[in-house]
PDB file of all heavy atoms in Angstrom:
ATOM      1  N   LEU A  30     -24.888 -24.345  31.966  1.00 33.00           N
ATOM      2  CA  LEU A  30     -23.775 -25.283  32.096  1.00 33.00           C
ATOM      3  C   LEU A  30     -23.401 -25.857  30.735  1.00 33.00           C
ATOM      4  O   LEU A  30     -22.235 -25.994  30.386  1.00 33.00           O
ATOM      5  CB  LEU A  30     -24.164 -26.406  33.071  1.00 33.00           C
ATOM      6  CG  LEU A  30     -23.067 -27.422  33.375  1.00 33.00           C
ATOM      7  CD1 LEU A  30     -21.875 -26.717  34.021  1.00 33.00           C
ATOM      8  CD2 LEU A  30     -23.601 -28.503  34.315  1.00 33.00           C
ATOM      9  N   LYS A  60     -20.758 -17.615  10.286  1.00 80.00           N
ATOM     10  CA  LYS A  60     -19.854 -18.420  11.079  1.00 80.00           C
ATOM     11  C   LYS A  60     -18.441 -18.063  10.669  1.00 80.00           C
ATOM     12  O   LYS A  60     -18.060 -18.265   9.528  1.00 80.00           O
ATOM     13  CB  LYS A  60     -20.170 -19.890  10.784  1.00 80.00           C
ATOM     14  CG  LYS A  60     -19.460 -20.830  11.685  1.00 80.00           C
ATOM     15  CD  LYS A  60     -19.914 -22.246  11.423  1.00 80.00           C
ATOM     16  CE  LYS A  60     -19.088 -23.107  12.349  1.00 80.00           C
ATOM     17  NZ  LYS A  60     -18.849 -24.423  11.955  1.00 80.00           N
ATOM     18  N   ARG A  86      12.534  -2.810  23.338  1.00 98.00           N
ATOM     19  CA  ARG A  86      12.125  -4.221  23.427  1.00 98.00           C
ATOM     20  C   ARG A  86      11.268  -4.655  22.255  1.00 98.00           C
ATOM     21  O   ARG A  86      10.799  -5.791  22.223  1.00 98.00           O
ATOM     22  CB  ARG A  86      11.320  -4.451  24.696  1.00 98.00           C
ATOM     23  CG  ARG A  86      12.170  -4.334  25.918  1.00 98.00           C
ATOM     24  CD  ARG A  86      11.412  -4.820  27.129  1.00 98.00           C
ATOM     25  NE  ARG A  86      12.186  -4.520  28.312  1.00 98.00           N
ATOM     26  CZ  ARG A  86      11.665  -4.335  29.506  1.00 98.00           C
ATOM     27  NH1 ARG A  86      10.371  -4.429  29.680  1.00 98.00           N
ATOM     28  NH2 ARG A  86      12.441  -4.071  30.528  1.00 98.00           N
ATOM     29  N   GLY A  91       0.709  -2.836  27.789  1.00 99.00           N
ATOM     30  CA  GLY A  91      -0.353  -2.064  28.419  1.00 99.00           C
ATOM     31  C   GLY A  91      -1.625  -2.870  28.552  1.00 99.00           C
ATOM     32  O   GLY A  91      -1.569  -4.072  28.822  1.00 99.00           O
ATOM     33  N   ALA A 126     -11.578  -6.045  39.109  1.00 98.00           N
ATOM     34  CA  ALA A 126     -11.046  -7.046  40.030  1.00 98.00           C
ATOM     35  C   ALA A 126     -10.459  -8.191  39.220  1.00 98.00           C
ATOM     36  O   ALA A 126     -10.979  -8.534  38.154  1.00 98.00           O
ATOM     37  CB  ALA A 126     -12.161  -7.564  40.932  1.00 98.00           C
ATOM     38  N   PRO A 162       8.188  -9.341  19.959  1.00 98.00           N
ATOM     39  CA  PRO A 162       8.934  -8.659  18.882  1.00 98.00           C
ATOM     40  C   PRO A 162       8.595  -9.246  17.508  1.00 98.00           C
ATOM     41  O   PRO A 162       8.762  -8.587  16.492  1.00 98.00           O
ATOM     42  CB  PRO A 162      10.398  -8.934  19.236  1.00 98.00           C
ATOM     43  CG  PRO A 162      10.396  -9.260  20.691  1.00 98.00           C
ATOM     44  CD  PRO A 162       9.061  -9.887  20.996  1.00 98.00           C
ATOM     45  N   GLY A 166       1.462  -8.747  13.106  1.00 98.00           N
ATOM     46  CA  GLY A 166       0.766  -7.546  12.657  1.00 98.00           C
ATOM     47  C   GLY A 166       1.534  -6.256  12.891  1.00 98.00           C
ATOM     48  O   GLY A 166       0.999  -5.173  12.675  1.00 98.00           O
ATOM     49  N   VAL A 274       6.894  14.299   2.798  1.00 98.00           N
ATOM     50  CA  VAL A 274       5.505  14.759   2.894  1.00 98.00           C
ATOM     51  C   VAL A 274       5.093  15.685   1.740  1.00 98.00           C
ATOM     52  O   VAL A 274       3.967  15.619   1.245  1.00 98.00           O
ATOM     53  CB  VAL A 274       5.237  15.387   4.289  1.00 98.00           C
ATOM     54  CG1 VAL A 274       5.857  16.758   4.447  1.00 98.00           C
ATOM     55  CG2 VAL A 274       3.766  15.418   4.597  1.00 98.00           C
ATOM     56  N   ARG A 299     -18.725   9.192   5.055  1.00 98.00           N
ATOM     57  CA  ARG A 299     -19.286   9.280   6.414  1.00 98.00           C
ATOM     58  C   ARG A 299     -18.266   9.263   7.533  1.00 98.00           C
ATOM     59  O   ARG A 299     -18.626   9.008   8.686  1.00 98.00           O
ATOM     60  CB  ARG A 299     -20.230   8.093   6.642  1.00 98.00           C
ATOM     61  CG  ARG A 299     -21.283   8.004   5.582  1.00 98.00           C
ATOM     62  CD  ARG A 299     -22.257   6.913   5.922  1.00 98.00           C
ATOM     63  NE  ARG A 299     -22.943   6.495   4.717  1.00 98.00           N
ATOM     64  CZ  ARG A 299     -24.206   6.175   4.670  1.00 98.00           C
ATOM     65  NH1 ARG A 299     -24.936   6.199   5.751  1.00 98.00           N
ATOM     66  NH2 ARG A 299     -24.750   5.791   3.531  1.00 98.00           N
ATOM     67  N   TYR A 303     -10.375  12.409   5.552  1.00 98.00           N
ATOM     68  CA  TYR A 303      -9.705  11.307   4.845  1.00 98.00           C
ATOM     69  C   TYR A 303      -8.247  11.701   4.654  1.00 98.00           C
ATOM     70  O   TYR A 303      -7.924  12.586   3.854  1.00 98.00           O
ATOM     71  CB  TYR A 303     -10.353  11.013   3.487  1.00 98.00           C
ATOM     72  CG  TYR A 303      -9.631   9.900   2.738  1.00 98.00           C
ATOM     73  CD1 TYR A 303      -9.818   8.566   3.096  1.00 98.00           C
ATOM     74  CD2 TYR A 303      -8.736  10.180   1.713  1.00 98.00           C
ATOM     75  CE1 TYR A 303      -9.128   7.551   2.453  1.00 98.00           C
ATOM     76  CE2 TYR A 303      -8.043   9.163   1.060  1.00 98.00           C
ATOM     77  CZ  TYR A 303      -8.253   7.849   1.442  1.00 98.00           C
ATOM     78  OH  TYR A 303      -7.575   6.840   0.798  1.00 98.00           O
ATOM     79  N   THR A 323      -5.813   6.118   5.371  1.00 99.00           N
ATOM     80  CA  THR A 323      -5.272   5.081   4.486  1.00 99.00           C
ATOM     81  C   THR A 323      -3.767   4.977   4.678  1.00 99.00           C
ATOM     82  O   THR A 323      -3.077   5.996   4.753  1.00 99.00           O
ATOM     83  CB  THR A 323      -5.601   5.455   3.018  1.00 99.00           C
ATOM     84  OG1 THR A 323      -6.951   5.063   2.728  1.00 99.00           O
ATOM     85  CG2 THR A 323      -4.679   4.757   2.027  1.00 99.00           C
ATOM     86  N   VAL A 509      -1.510   0.268 -28.544  1.00 98.00           N
ATOM     87  CA  VAL A 509      -0.208  -0.198 -28.044  1.00 98.00           C
ATOM     88  C   VAL A 509       0.110  -1.568 -28.660  1.00 98.00           C
ATOM     89  O   VAL A 509       1.230  -1.821 -29.116  1.00 98.00           O
ATOM     90  CB  VAL A 509      -0.203  -0.282 -26.497  1.00 98.00           C
ATOM     91  CG1 VAL A 509       1.069  -0.955 -25.986  1.00 98.00           C
ATOM     92  CG2 VAL A 509      -0.356   1.107 -25.890  1.00 98.00           C
ATOM     93  N   ALA A 557      18.170  -0.138 -24.669  1.00 98.00           N
ATOM     94  CA  ALA A 557      19.011   0.931 -25.217  1.00 98.00           C
ATOM     95  C   ALA A 557      18.153   2.121 -25.635  1.00 98.00           C
ATOM     96  O   ALA A 557      18.517   3.280 -25.420  1.00 98.00           O
ATOM     97  CB  ALA A 557      19.806   0.409 -26.403  1.00 98.00           C
ATOM     98  N   THR A 636       6.789 -14.262   5.324  1.00 94.00           N
ATOM     99  CA  THR A 636       6.057 -15.527   5.179  1.00 94.00           C
ATOM    100  C   THR A 636       5.861 -15.865   3.705  1.00 94.00           C
ATOM    101  O   THR A 636       6.060 -17.004   3.283  1.00 94.00           O
ATOM    102  CB  THR A 636       4.682 -15.421   5.888  1.00 94.00           C
ATOM    103  OG1 THR A 636       4.918 -15.021   7.240  1.00 94.00           O
ATOM    104  CG2 THR A 636       3.924 -16.727   5.859  1.00 94.00           C
TER     105      THR A 636
END
Side-chain angles (χ1 to χ4, degrees):
L30 184 61
K60 189 175 178 207
R86 291 191 188 153
V274 74
R299 306 185 201 218
Y303 178 77
T323 279
V509 172
T636 305

